[in-house]
Structures are given as structure tokens and as C-alpha cells.
Amino acid sequence: MKLDILAIAAHPDDAELSCSGTLASHVAKGYKVGILDLTRGEMGTRGTPELRIKEAGKAAEILNLSMRENLGFQDVYFKDDKEHQVAIARVLRTYRPEIVLANAVSDRHPDHGKGGSLASHACFVSGLRKLETEKDGKPQEAWRPKYIYHYIQNNYIEPDLVVDISSHWETKIKSILAFQSQFYNPDSKEPESFISRPDFLDFIEARSREMGHKINVKYGEGFTVERVTGVSDLFDLL
């Protein structure tokens, strides 16, 4: 199966919080979309790795994804090195996405900037013909996505482009709330975390409204680019 868009995320729920509206809007247009989680988020304050995998599966159903996989890298301690780049390259060569959405270039959680750098480097090495990888015992062909866009996470980064997600806001929120272990639950006995505070989802809405305001729509999701974005028709711009 070939994907049109693959979101690569350091932790389960990174993509939901930052670019799920974009994913949902492109699924609605008929594109094949997937998420590759790098870790199981096992170092998180709340929940368990097993629970977060189940929650990720529920979110994938809500977003109607064509695939979702988890590479099981070590949370916090994974590295941007050959081993990890090649592991991602195998997935890129399997699904051959045209577009990759990656973690923010820098953020409050060090894994986010590191994950963004790792995804970018993996996209490059995946296109090297002399890098040999296999899938089910068969050699894979080189593949390099055409575009890499970095979604914006906790820390504010001025976007290079904003996607209108107004029609898919409810789907975004539902996909986030699929991770019940991570967000506010008055009945939870687990310790409070940065994202489990009652006002955290208010911040997510405020950020989406702020991004939407930049392009004169209700809700948006912002991205930074690695190279200049070109258009062939000025009327493609909102």
C-alpha cells in the first residue's frame, strides 16, 4: 500500500495534538494517510505503554487512517543515528509517502526536536540507492518523500504555512481524547502532568484559533518547511 501522507511522531498523541486536523482533512479528500509513532511513550507520567498503544489504535480509527505503526524506539533515549534512521527508512520505502509531517524543529520536550531531525535525516537516507534494506526478505527500492513539513507543538514557532482544519475540528478533538490516560480526568488517581491539567485543551484550541486567524478561518494548524514552497497557480493560495 502506498501512502500520500505519513506523519512521523516521537510519541503517541504528538500527531493528534499537532496535525490531526490536517490528516483528517486529507483523508476526507480521498488521500491515503498514516502515522508512524517512534516510541510507546513509556517515560510519560501517566498511563502505560500497552494502554497508549490501544489508545493510538482508537485514535487511528477516529481519523480513518490507512496505517499506524510503532517502531518501539526507547522513549527519551532514542538517537538521531544510523540505526534509527535506517529503521524509519524501511517504513518510508514500504509505504512510499509523497509528504512527511514531522515533529517540531524545537520544542519543550527534547524528543520533539530530536524526532523532527531524525525524521528529516531518515527521509534523506531513504533516498540513497546504495543503502540496502529489506522487507520480508526482499530488497527495497530507494524512496525519498517530496516534501517534509514540521508541525508546531507546545512552543510557539511562526508558521511558514497554515492548513484550514475548521471542518475537521471535532474529529481532531475526538482523536486527542482517545488518549484518555493522558488528558484531564477528574476520576484519575495518577499524578498530574503538563498535559493533564484541565486548561491544556483550552490551550490547544487557542493555538488552533490563532493559526486559523492568520489565514482568516476559524481553526488552523501551522507548519514550518525545509525548503521554499512553490505554486503554479496563485489562486491555490487562500
Side-chain angles (χ1 to χ4, degrees):
M1 177 181 60
K2 185 183 185 311
L3 292 177
D4 297 298
I5 299 175
L6 177 65
I8 300 178
H11 311 109
D13 76 20
D14 281 357
E16 281 76 10
L17 288 167
S18 306
C19 66
S20 57
T22 298
L23 300 182
S25 70
H26 284 80
V27 168
K29 293 179 173 70
Y31 292 104
K32 291 189 180 298
V33 175
I35 294 177
L36 176 66
D37 296 310
L38 301 183
T39 77
R40 298 179 299 163
E42 65 270 19
M43 296 295 284
T45 302
R46 295 158 66 102
T48 64
E50 295 77 16
L51 179 55
R52 295 190 75 173
I53 291 293
K54 291 180 180 179
E55 292 171 340
K58 182 177 180 181
E61 292 178 2
I62 292 169
L63 294 171
N64 198 22
L65 300 179
S66 295
M67 64 76 73
R68 185 169 201 157
E69 295 183 8
N70 191 302
L71 284 176
F73 292 168
Q74 190 175 11
D75 192 15
V76 177
Y77 299 108
F78 72 87
K79 298 179 180 180
D80 181 2
D81 61 11
K82 178 181 178 180
E83 177 186 353
H84 292 81
Q85 292 169 13
V86 172
I88 296 174
R90 290 192 186 96
V91 178
L92 293 170
R93 290 176 171 189
T94 297
Y95 293 103
R96 305 168 75 81
E98 302 293 330
I99 294 173
V100 162
L101 307 181
N103 283 101
V105 293
S106 64
D107 203 44
R108 171 183 175 272
H109 195 310
D111 277 4
H112 295 168
K114 181 170 57 175
S117 173
L118 172 57
S120 180
H121 292 153
C123 286
F124 182 81
V125 301
S126 179
L128 299 176
R129 283 187 256 177
K130 291 186 178 179
L131 174 66
E132 297 180 357
T133 60
E134 293 184 353
K135 174 73 171 179
D136 299 327
K138 298 179 180 179
Q140 294 179 299
E141 293 184 3
W143 178 264
R144 184 173 294 147
K146 291 184 175 66
Y147 308 101
I148 304 170
Y149 302 129
H150 293 269
Y151 43 87
I152 295 168
Q153 298 187 255
N154 182 76
N155 293 354
Y156 181 81
I157 299 174
E158 185 68 18
D160 295 315
L161 62 88
V162 175
V163 176
D164 178 7
I165 64 164
S166 304
S167 298
H168 303 279
W169 174 250
E170 295 301 325
T171 301
K172 177 184 177 74
I173 292 299
K174 288 178 181 177
S175 74
I176 292 172
L177 294 179
F179 292 89
Q180 294 181 357
S181 69
Q182 300 302 300
F183 302 105
Y184 179 66
N185 178 356
D187 299 322
S188 176
K189 304 301 182 184
E190 295 197 76
E192 185 177 79
S193 70
F194 180 77
I195 64 174
S196 73
R197 297 182 311 205
D199 61 349
F200 183 75
L201 291 179
D202 293 337
F203 160 73
I204 294 298
E205 179 170 5
R207 170 61 58 77
S208 296
R209 283 182 176 272
E210 178 183 36
M211 292 297 173
H213 180 71
K214 289 179 177 293
I215 59 170
N216 199 32
V217 301
K218 188 171 184 180
Y219 295 111
E221 289 175 338
F223 298 84
T224 60
V225 304
E226 293 192 2
R227 64 178 178 85
V228 174
T229 301
V231 297
S232 59
D233 187 332
L234 288 176
F235 291 96
D236 288 340
L237 301 173
L238 293 179

